[in-house]
Amino acid sequence: MSDGEHPAQAAAAPGTIGARLRAAREAQGLSVAEVAARTRVTQRFLEALENDRLDLLPSPTYASGFARAYARAVGLDPADVGRDIRGELARGAMPIRQHHIEEIADPARGPSRGVVIVAAGLALAVLVLGLLWLSTGMMRGTQEAPATAASPTPVAASRPVPAASTAAPAGKVVLTARDEVWMRVYDANNQTLFLGTKKKGETFEVPATADRPMINVGRPDQLAITVDGREVPALGDGKRAIKDVGISAAALAARGGGAATPAAAPTARATGTTGGVPAAFQSPAPAASARAGSASSAGNTPD
């Protein structure tokens, strides 16, 4: 390296991880920009890998993930490259400093935390109002049911409505890797719930007790998300990594997926059996009430 050359511009020593990556790229006739387009990793991070400047990368986890993605793009074994770079980091041969980078997040990709919280609160309020309205309708139907007591046909108005009909969903959120994907899941207190890479088919269940769980993920399009077994839309198309995106059941519903929101229950005054409401909670037809009254009068007429 010449006296005026910056360390970041120095070529990696032969046989290093950076040199192997560069040699594989050049053997395929690819530019760094083309590899960046394939891996969706920022070009300057790929150049830092080639120059063995891991101190220019966000963290050891990112260094390993970026190196594996680079290796996959140029035909090298990602597992070998990942193992080698972790070994170099463990030996301290390639120092790395911890710092945050702003370009990993794309604010336009998703709502801010404040918007998510407000939307979740509104969704919860709508759900509570819906349950109250449904309960009031059932009470009205129960009060009207005794009018049919004179009918010789027994009714089931006294049967209680199953509690499960108005119970809120559990909101079980499960993340499943469609392909190898790195992610970090954490709560509102920035406590890490999961950090690492999931292989294809591996899952992670977000703890039900987590306070406003959020996620950072490099390839959101490779992460399938289900709420109570129902899949919701992906968090992104994979063109950029995402950060600070809420993944609670309420937050996912607020994003527009709607998977965690139960379907609106029918009112107690619906006719027939449409919507699953028992006939006992419906108002009797005028003609049926008239016939019931006539039958009762006839039964009380003296012989």
Side-chain angles (χ1 to χ4, degrees):
M1 183 174 65
S2 63
D3 295 338
E5 186 177 17
H6 191 277
Q9 298 174 334
T16 66
I17 297 173
R20 286 160 53 196
L21 292 172
R22 174 179 292 156
R25 172 178 62 78
E26 293 175 348
Q28 295 193 22
L30 298 173
S31 66
V32 178
E34 289 173 321
V35 176
R38 288 187 179 186
T39 60
R40 296 188 177 91
V41 175
T42 303
Q43 182 173 336
R44 65 187 179 90
F45 292 155
L46 299 181
E47 293 172 347
L49 282 172
E50 287 192 354
N51 294 321
D52 293 325
R53 288 299 308 276
L54 300 188
D55 58 310
L56 300 179
L57 299 179
S59 69
T61 301
Y62 278 104
S64 178
F66 291 165
R68 289 164 66 92
Y70 194 140
R72 188 181 298 106
V74 298
L76 297 179
D77 188 342
D80 287 346
V81 172
R83 182 176 56 253
D84 292 346
I85 203 167
R86 286 194 298 271
E88 294 292 333
L89 290 170
R91 290 193 298 271
M94 293 185 290
I96 188 166
R97 67 174 183 267
Q98 298 284 346
H99 59 88
H100 296 285
I101 53 171
E102 296 300 329
E103 58 192 277
I104 193 171
D106 182 6
R109 299 284 298 168
S112 66
R113 184 181 303 180
V115 173
V116 170
I117 294 174
V118 172
L122 290 175
L124 181 61
V126 170
L127 178 61
V128 171
L129 289 176
L131 293 176
L132 290 175
W133 177 76
L134 176 62
S135 300
T136 303
M138 289 184 173
M139 290 178 63
R140 287 198 302 267
T142 304
Q143 292 171 355
E144 294 173 0
T148 62
S151 173
T153 303
V155 295
S158 60
R159 287 186 297 178
V161 177
S165 61
T166 58
K172 177 181 177 182
V173 178
V174 178
L175 313 178
T176 303
R178 292 193 175 101
D179 198 352
E180 186 175 80
V181 58
W182 177 91
M183 64 180 181
R184 178 186 178 229
V185 181
Y186 50 101
D187 62 14
N189 297 318
N190 202 30
Q191 294 296 317
T192 299
L193 306 176
F194 175 83
L195 174 64
T197 301
K198 286 289 186 183
K199 296 181 180 179
K200 181 178 181 180
E202 292 185 341
T203 63
F204 173 75
E205 181 178 343
V206 179
T209 56
D211 180 19
R212 288 171 289 160
M214 290 170 281
I215 190 171
N216 295 359
V217 58
R219 290 292 306 276
D221 59 324
Q222 297 300 324
L223 193 64
I225 304 177
T226 60
V227 180
D228 290 334
R230 291 176 290 178
E231 187 169 355
V232 301
L235 299 178
D237 57 10
K239 292 182 179 179
R240 291 188 180 181
I242 63 172
K243 181 180 180 183
D244 293 340
V245 174
I247 53 172
S248 65
L252 293 171
R255 287 179 63 87
T261 303
T267 66
R269 297 181 62 85
T271 59
T273 58
T274 304
V277 178
F281 293 103
Q282 304 171 13
S283 298
S289 296
R291 288 196 300 270
S294 298
S296 177
S297 298
N300 294 329
T301 304
D303 294 335

